[in-house]
Amino acid sequence: MKNFKKKKDEYIKIKVEKLIDWNEGNGEGCIVSDRITKEGFKVGYMYRENPSEGNPDSGWRFLAGNEDEVYMNDSDNHHVFALNTICNYDRDIIPYLKSVIGSAYIRINKSEFIADDGEKAIFVDKQER
């Protein structure tokens, strides 16, 4: 009997459709936790910082919200993706993408985010695949 378990280093295979038009000058890249792209969690925490100079970077960073400090300190747990690709992993982020640099949001239920004020817990959820 074959083992159909996904390898730790494999991305979840998804169909990528064009969901957004991103035309900001710095580009459409974003940094994403493997908890989203490999382990199947939804985006639980997202923030936008100044884009990295010389890279096609939107400034967006996407996390599941259950990463600990050890996980975050390992750069092998984060990869660069196109924003449109991450929208295909989790469409709930789309309404927030035009937010200004410095914005941060947490998921509060299966489909909604609010501005992160540091007071509420992140709702951690798995993608439905």
Side-chain angles (χ1 to χ4, degrees):
M1 183 173 197
K2 287 187 176 182
N3 182 355
F4 290 101
K5 197 170 190 179
K6 184 179 72 60
K7 292 181 184 174
K8 185 180 180 199
D9 61 347
E10 290 181 358
Y11 295 106
I12 297 168
K13 293 179 180 23
I14 62 169
K15 179 181 178 185
V16 176
E17 303 171 43
K18 185 163 176 65
L19 298 177
I20 62 166
D21 287 314
W22 190 262
N23 56 7
E24 292 192 17
N26 291 328
E28 156 175 43
C30 59
I31 298 175
V32 185
S33 167
D34 287 351
R35 293 262 165 97
I36 295 164
T37 56
K38 293 182 179 182
E39 296 181 39
F41 285 92
K42 289 183 174 185
V43 173
Y45 178 66
M46 59 185 181
Y47 63 97
R48 191 172 188 195
E49 60 186 14
N50 284 315
S52 298
E53 289 288 324
N55 294 305
D57 183 15
S58 66
W60 277 110
R61 312 300 181 239
F62 298 100
L63 307 167
N66 59 359
E67 297 88 348
D68 61 20
E69 186 174 346
V70 172
Y71 187 92
M72 292 299 293
N73 287 335
D74 184 347
S75 62
D76 288 338
N77 292 326
H78 314 278
H79 292 88
V80 176
F81 283 84
L83 275 175
N84 186 72
T85 300
I86 301 310
C87 290
N88 279 269
Y89 277 95
D90 189 345
R91 294 175 187 223
D92 296 337
I93 67 172
I94 295 171
Y96 305 93
L97 294 180
K98 295 293 184 177
S99 297
V100 298
I101 292 169
S103 298
Y105 299 95
I106 61 168
R107 182 179 294 277
I108 57 168
N109 59 39
K110 286 199 169 286
S111 61
E112 293 179 279
F113 289 86
I114 60 169
D116 181 23
D117 63 5
E119 298 294 318
K120 292 190 172 64
I122 297 170
F123 181 83
V124 177
D125 197 17
K126 286 285 230 173
Q127 300 168 25
E128 295 176 16
R129 302 232 171 263

